[in-house]
Structures are given as structure tokens and as C-alpha cells.
Amino acid sequence: MTRILVVDDSALMRKLLGQIFASEADFEVQVARNGLEALDLLEAFSPDVVTLDIHMPRMDGLACLDRIMVEHPCPVVMVSSLTADGADATFEALRLGAVDFVAKPEGAISLHIDELRAELVAKVRAAAG
């Protein structure tokens, strides 16, 4: 069983990503609304992989990623709308220790979530190794 922590400030995105992983037999899922909640869950949940949005209130994904790598090193897959266009954020996340990226679909996310499913699950499984 792969424990995954989904970190995103969007309630809809947390729900959709949570459903993607919950529908797979080999994932146990927890969610966090921002980087601070994610850090609180790291010790108790001890995830095998974290999916992490970049732009979030209170503590953004890059600051959270930096802390994860120091306090509870584990594979992190960035899942963000910024990854397609925000090359600087992408390179910074890789420098900080992210293992991969998945770009959120553009437009109405709920209409395009299936475009993300196969790539996201494959990358998270690969990260869990």
C-alpha cells in the first residue's frame, strides 16, 4: 500500500486528486490544504509520496518542499498549473528535491481531470519506487 499526501489549496482539486488515488487499490490517501497542514501530517501519516501544488496560501509549495526535504525526505511530485508556463518555479522545485511534475489541465479542471489520471498515477507509482 502506497501512502500519498495530496497537498492543494483548491477543495475541488483535493477532491478530484483524492478520488483518482482512492479508486486505485494500492493507495491510501490523506489531504492537506496548504504547506503548513502538510508539514503537520508528515510525522503522523508518514507518506511514501507527496503531491504538491506550488501556489498556496500560508505556505507555498516551494517553501513546503524545502521543509519536507529537511524534516521528512520523501519523493514529491509537483502538481501545478504553474509547471507548464512557470519554468523558474519548475527548476526551483527540481533544485529543492522534487522528483517529477504533472501540469494541471487548463480550463474547467473537473471536465479534464481524466487527461491527468494516467500520467499522475504512473508518476506517483514511479516516485514511490
Side-chain angles (χ1 to χ4, degrees), residues 1-59:
M1 184 69 68
T2 300
R3 290 180 311 280
I4 182 164
L5 177 59
V6 173
V7 186
D8 200 295
D9 61 317
S10 163
L12 176 60
M13 198 64 191
R14 286 191 309 273
K15 178 181 177 182
L16 294 172
L17 292 177
Q19 288 174 341
I20 286 173
F21 292 110
S23 71
E24 303 288 325
D26 56 332
F27 287 103
E28 179 182 347
V29 183
Q30 286 282 339
V31 297
R33 294 177 293 180
N34 58 54
L36 291 176
E37 279 189 13
L39 293 174
D40 287 343
L41 283 170
L42 283 177
E43 190 68 33
F45 184 57
S46 192
D48 299 304
V49 179
V50 175
T51 67
L52 189 57
D53 188 14
I54 291 177
H55 184 70
M56 296 181 291
R58 301 189 68 207
M59 177 183 278

Side-chain angles (χ1 to χ4, degrees), residues 4 9 32 41 48-49 69 76 84 86 90-91 94 101 111 125 129:
I4 182 164
D9 61 317
L41 283 170
D48 299 304
V49 179
M69 290 302 136
V76 175
T90 300
F91 289 128
L94 286 171
F101 286 88
L111 299 177
R125 283 193 176 123

Side-chain angles (χ1 to χ4, degrees), residues 48-121:
D48 299 304
V49 179
V50 175
T51 67
L52 189 57
D53 188 14
I54 291 177
H55 184 70
M56 296 181 291
R58 301 189 68 207
M59 177 183 278
D60 71 22
L62 295 177
C64 182
L65 175 60
D66 189 40
R67 295 266 309 270
I68 288 171
M69 290 302 136
V70 171
E71 297 174 15
H72 191 281
C74 67
V76 175
V77 176
M78 304 304 290
V79 180
S80 179
S81 56
L82 296 178
T83 58
D85 298 320
D88 289 342
T90 300
F91 289 128
E92 179 65 9
L94 286 171
R95 187 188 71 74
L96 292 171
V99 297
D100 214 331
F101 286 88
V102 176
K104 290 179 183 175
E106 294 182 19
I109 188 79
S110 59
L111 299 177
H112 302 285
I113 196 67
D114 284 335
E115 297 169 13
L116 181 72
R117 178 184 296 272
E119 178 186 14
L120 180 64
V121 170

